[in-house]
Amino acid sequence: MTVCRLLAMTIRALLNATAGLAADYLEALPERPAGWLVDAEELRSRLGGPLPETPADPHEVIADLAADVEPGLVASPGGRYFGFVIGGTTPAAVAADWLTSVWDQNAGLYVCGPSSAVAEEVAGGWLAELLGLPTGVGFGLVTGCQMAHVTALAAARHSVFAGAGWDVGERGLIGAPSVRVLAGAERHITVDRALRLLGFGTGCVTPIPADAQGRMEPSALREAIGAADGPAIVCAQAGNVNTGAFDDLDAIADIAEQAGAWLHIDGAFGLWAAASPAHRHLVAGSERADSWAVDAHKWLNVPYDSGIAFCAHPEAQQAAMGVRASYLIHADPGGQRDALEWNPEFSRRARGFPVYAAIRSLGRSGIADLIERCCAHARRFAESLGEVPDVEVLNEVVLNQVLVRFLDPEGDHDAHTDAVIDAVQSDGTCWLSGTTWQGMRAMRISVSSQATTEADVEQSIAAILRTAAAPQPRERLT
Ligand SMILES: Cc1ncc(COP(=O)(O)O)c(C=O)c1O
């Protein structure tokens, strides 16, 4: 038997064994507590130890890894995980993600993996269509919405400075004309971080007041944008991280257009409303923006990490991102697609494959169904919890986000709400976390997974109400 054949047999056995471990994990999810079960100290003692000096059998490494990390995993691909805005995983996307690692293509350049480049090209076109974006938009597949903001706002930066006669790529920001960024007061923090990374600094933001749902006030934007001249970028939001609310994108697009400003939309999860006939009205006007940031690892239920930056001005995106070197083999202009022309990475995982597989397996109708089911579950949470005395739903549930406050007979509603959140987390039936919304502590429920069923929702509601009736202080696992 040749060494190659032996190696092939070993890897087949290893991957088969790993498939078993993966399936064991997924099959156990419905019965497993939704949160983690051990603290960091326990995990360190399981995983730590001196740097290994010698090789180990891969079977043993993988079996030990799976066993050691299991109690520190959270059941986020399961049906009763409602924390942050964490999507589940569609089976085809998980399987394609495995193959992405096995194929190990460097997706930066077409020549490093033509199939990866073409799958990504196809997936990007499908995504733009699903999200109702103009044909021909530029796109880059990045790690998540954070880097999608960086990519899209880099294109914005290039474009608005170019309009002011300044080549920011070459000359940088020192001595550059000033640019204003106008963004809703309830914008996501990743917008600020992108501005920091891009050298604008968060101080350049003019915060525009938002209403009780977190929607930017268009009249306030109109006034603020008219208060000065010069290049401007407006950052609007489709889907507030707490309430799920949508800015009035059509009105904001009018204002940005009149002022000649670049309009960027943070649509991390909310832009997916465009893929659902029942919710599409929420994003009316979004197609008029100049750039968009969205996640596939949220509502498309692609495994981490997977975000997309879209830009209505491909030339600005390429000018901001493109890179050339003599040792590389670049695609001819107008020919094949080199991903490094569209995103800030150089070498990169071929994350187009799982996106492609998710869209192919769900199809347009499956994606609409996923969005609509999650929203229906969110409404069910709001209706059931909201009708209980001393439980208040704080937001208009227009999408998949629900904010719930638990009133304390003694009057300390914040502390009581936090105690309920803590108790629900330690109960383990479901997992969710808290936030401060307009000065009030609230439980956040985000329904973002294809795995969530009506039974999961009913079980979770029962667990929330059971623990709310007598919240026990929990033994904190950090
Ligand atoms: C509205 C919004 N924007 C941006 C982000 C950041 O997304 P990511 O964690 O994928 O970078 C989130 C995350 O929840 C979000 O809800």
Side-chain angles (χ1 to χ4, degrees):
M1 189 174 292
T2 63
V3 175
C4 279
R5 175 102 184 101
L6 250 178
L7 274 176
M9 281 175 61
T10 308
I11 198 134
R12 177 172 293 272
L14 176 64
L15 293 180
N16 280 338
T18 307
L21 292 170
D24 289 348
Y25 170 72
L26 291 176
E27 281 168 13
L29 282 175
E31 308 309 324
R32 191 189 185 280
W36 64 97
L37 305 169
V38 291
D39 62 16
E41 225 21 75
E42 168 68 18
L43 290 168
R44 278 184 204 109
S45 83
R46 285 164 167 255
L47 292 164
L51 169 71
E53 295 293 343
T54 53
D57 175 4
H59 286 264
E60 202 180 299
V61 172
I62 295 303
D64 286 353
L65 176 68
D68 289 343
V69 304
E70 208 286 334
L73 297 176
V74 298
S76 49
R80 294 191 305 279
Y81 189 90
F82 306 111
F84 311 104
V85 187
I86 292 199
T89 49
T90 41
V94 171
D97 204 54
W98 283 10
L99 288 174
T100 303
S101 291
V102 170
W103 293 331
D104 195 26
Q105 306 288 285
N106 181 341
L109 287 175
Y110 177 83
V111 293
C112 294
S115 294
S116 145
V118 174
E120 184 164 322
E121 179 185 299
V122 172
W126 286 349
L127 284 165
E129 190 176 335
L130 282 164
L131 298 171
L133 307 184
T135 37
V137 285
F139 65 90
L141 270 56
V142 291
T143 49
C145 196
Q146 170 70 81
M147 285 312 291
H149 286 323
V150 170
T151 308
L153 290 172
R157 186 179 65 161
H158 170 86
S159 178
V160 296
F161 277 120
W166 186 268
D167 180 349
V168 71
E170 194 217 325
R171 303 175 74 180
L173 290 172
I174 297 168
S178 70
V179 167
R180 288 183 307 148
V181 179
L182 302 100
E186 293 291 350
R187 65 191 175 277
H188 195 267
I189 195 63
T190 48
V191 171
D192 294 65
R193 194 166 183 228
L195 294 170
R196 255 165 56 202
L197 295 175
L198 290 167
F200 281 121
T202 50
C204 77
V205 179
T206 305
I208 306 299
D211 69 11
Q213 297 301 313
R215 294 172 292 226
M216 184 185 342
E217 300 274 12
S219 56
L221 174 65
R222 188 182 293 284
E223 199 178 316
I225 212 165
D229 289 329
I233 298 170
V234 175
C235 295
Q237 181 166 256
N240 175 279
V241 72
N242 285 313
T243 63
F246 290 72
D247 288 347
D248 182 342
L249 299 172
D250 224 4
I252 290 170
D254 282 342
I255 297 165
E257 193 177 292
Q258 280 156 23
W262 179 287
L263 175 58
H264 171 70
I265 296 181
D266 176 356
F269 59 100
L271 205 56
W272 284 102
S276 143
H279 295 89
R280 194 168 292 150
H281 62 280
L282 294 167
V283 293
S286 60
E287 70 287 352
R288 298 172 59 195
D290 298 286
S291 59
W292 304 262
V294 67
D295 272 320
H297 58 218
K298 290 195 170 70
W299 237 348
L300 188 56
N301 280 208
V302 167
Y304 285 98
D305 39 27
S306 191
I308 310 108
F310 289 99
C311 184
H313 313 282
E315 66 298 340
Q317 187 170 356
Q318 272 191 299
M321 292 296 135
V323 61
R324 301 259 141 181
S326 61
Y327 78 99
L328 298 178
I329 305 172
H330 295 279
D332 293 331
Q336 310 312 336
R337 184 183 149 89
D338 284 334
L340 55 67
E341 295 286 314
W342 302 96
N343 52 257
E345 294 105 346
F346 203 68
S347 294
R348 211 202 70 193
R349 179 175 176 76
R351 54 176 77 90
F353 290 130
V355 174
Y356 175 92
I359 300 175
R360 256 204 73 181
S361 75
L362 291 167
R364 197 192 286 274
S365 64
I367 294 169
D369 178 61
L370 166 58
I371 306 301
E372 283 159 24
R373 264 190 301 126
C374 289
C375 294
H377 292 325
R379 289 195 299 275
R380 174 72 189 149
F381 268 114
E383 280 155 19
S384 292
L385 296 173
E387 70 190 14
V388 175
D390 295 336
V391 181
E392 267 180 19
V393 174
L394 298 184
N395 64 320
E396 289 167 18
V397 180
V398 295
L399 203 67
N400 61 334
Q401 305 291 122
V402 190
L403 295 181
V404 190
R405 184 158 165 88
F406 296 85
L407 304 183
D408 177 21
E410 313 284 308
D412 192 348
H413 309 316
D414 282 349
H416 183 58
T417 300
D418 279 339
V420 175
I421 295 167
D422 252 23
V424 172
Q425 287 179 355
S426 57
D427 168 79
T429 304
C430 61
W431 201 93
L432 35 69
S433 59
T435 191
T436 300
W437 180 247
Q438 304 197 332
M440 293 175 282
R441 292 297 294 159
M443 174 185 278
R444 276 181 86 253
I445 303 172
S446 175
V447 192
S448 311
S449 174
Q450 54 87 34
T452 301
T453 61
E454 284 175 15
D456 285 322
V457 174
E458 297 310 325
Q459 214 181 322
S460 302
I461 291 169
I464 292 169
L465 292 176
R466 186 176 65 240
T467 47
Q472 298 296 322
R474 81 157 155 167
E475 200 187 309
R476 272 211 170 268
L477 297 174
T478 48

